[in-house]
Amino acid sequence: MYVCSCFGVTEQQVKDHAAAGACTPRQIASACKAGTDCGGCVRTIQAMLGRGACPRRELLDRKQTPATAAVPAPLPEPASGLPEAA
């Protein structure tokens, strides 16, 4: 079944692009132009993508979380045999 009649993009093509890593309608549009002409299919594409697991989205969510940005990295242990700074 066609999702985007402007560019002849099928439901299976959208699913294939999603399986290849496209997580948003904009990423689907970059892959096959669906949603870039009249825009009538964008909501259908959004519904197909849902809010399932998306590595890119999860990475963005982690970057935007202020708590993770405020945690400093642990300091390395001093090397053995070297005097420690006072």
Side-chain angles (χ1 to χ4, degrees), residues 49-62:
L49 296 174
R51 287 293 293 175
C54 176
R56 292 181 187 166
R57 186 180 305 124
E58 290 168 6
L59 181 63
L60 272 176
D61 289 344
R62 276 189 248 140

Side-chain angles (χ1 to χ4, degrees), residues 22-33:
C23 303
T24 65
R26 182 173 287 178
Q27 291 169 344
I28 295 291
S30 294
C32 63
K33 292 186 171 183

